[in-house]
Structure formats: C-alpha cells, structure tokens
C-alpha cells in the first residue's frame, strides 16, 4: 500500500513539474500592439506593429488574422507573408522569448491584427 501511495505522489509531482515548465505559455499570451511612428508616406501614417512574447518558450509558425491588410509600402515577406485573410509572421521562424518582433506598414488606419495560430516550443 505504501508503494502505491509513493507512486501516486511521484505521478502528481511529475505532472506538476511538467505543467510548471510548459503551462506558462499559451498562444493568447502573445500581444500585438500597434502605434503610429509619426512618419507619413503619401500622406498616410506609418504604423509599427510590435508582437511581444513574454513567455520562456518560443513560438513558431505564428499566424495573425489580418483581414483586408494592405500597405502603401511593401512589407518584406520574411517579416509578414499574407495569404487571404491570414498573415504568417517571420516566415514561420521563431518568435523568441522576451524579444519583440517588429514590422511596419503604411495605411490610413490600423488593421485589426490578432494572433490566431502558432506552435509553442519549450526547452
């Protein structure tokens, strides 16, 4: 009986450690913030988009909802690749922990950019 109790405690501790290591990061933790840079191009404001990863894990294949997204100036496809109403960040490469991923675009108004998909990769 003591053996079963020991196994149960071991399992509980194991899952607690696993959850602690991987439970700190969720897709909705990535924040997308936009602000005007103060620059104008063809009389339209330039917008800076900052995707922040506060987690200790990396995010890969991060996809934004980007309905209607367009820009007067081209955005490098290595930064933002648009397909229909979806935009892939950083060519699917990692968004690293505690590092902001930044790109800029030029349009009259900001677009409603939201993280909708991605893969969480923890050490």
């Amino acid at each position: 009986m003591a053996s079963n109790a020991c196994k149960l405690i071991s399992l509980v501790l194991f899952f607690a450690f696993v959850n602690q290591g991987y439970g700190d990061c969720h897709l909705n933790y990535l924040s997308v913030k936009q602000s005007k840079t103060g620059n104008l191009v063809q009389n339209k404001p330039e917008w800076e988009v900052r995707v922040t990863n506060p987690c200790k894990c990396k995010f890969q294949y991060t996809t934004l909802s980007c309905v209607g997204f367009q820009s007067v100036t081209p955005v490098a496809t290595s930064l933002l690749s648009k397909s229909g109403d979806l935009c892939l960040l950083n060519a699917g490469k990692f968004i690293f922990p505690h590092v902001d991923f930044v790109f800029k675009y030029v349009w009259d108004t900001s677009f409603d950019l939201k993280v909708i998909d991605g893969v969480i990769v923890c050490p």
Side-chain angles (χ1 to χ4, degrees):
M1 215 179 260
S3 176
N4 285 342
C6 186
K7 286 180 186 177
L8 179 62
I9 290 171
S10 295
L11 270 174
V12 168
L13 288 174
F14 172 75
F15 285 116
F17 285 122
V18 168
N19 189 37
Q20 182 179 0
Y22 298 106
D24 292 343
C25 294
H26 300 282
L27 198 57
N28 63 349
Y29 283 16
L30 288 176
S31 70
V32 180
K33 294 186 179 166
Q34 300 183 64
S35 59
K36 291 181 182 179
T37 65
N39 297 329
L40 290 175
V41 178
Q42 296 179 16
N43 239 8
K44 297 179 189 297
E46 179 183 59
W47 296 87
E48 180 181 85
V49 179
R50 187 170 295 272
V51 179
T52 302
N53 175 8
C55 299
K56 60 185 172 186
C57 300
K58 299 178 277 192
F59 289 82
Q60 190 174 24
Y61 305 112
T62 305
T63 305
L64 302 177
S65 169
C66 59
V67 176
F69 180 84
Q70 50 190 319
S71 179
V72 168
T73 57
V75 178
T77 55
S78 61
L79 298 175
L80 186 75
S81 175
K82 187 174 186 309
S83 177
D85 290 338
L86 301 177
C87 290
L88 181 66
L89 287 181
N90 201 24
K93 297 176 187 169
F94 290 121
I95 306 296
F96 289 98
H98 310 292
V99 176
D100 290 349
F101 178 80
V102 179
F103 67 92
K104 296 176 183 176
Y105 68 92
V106 176
W107 200 248
D108 291 313
T109 58
S110 64
F111 290 93
D112 186 22
L113 304 175
K114 294 179 184 171
V115 177
I116 60 166
D117 199 11
V119 175
I120 300 168
V121 181
C122 293

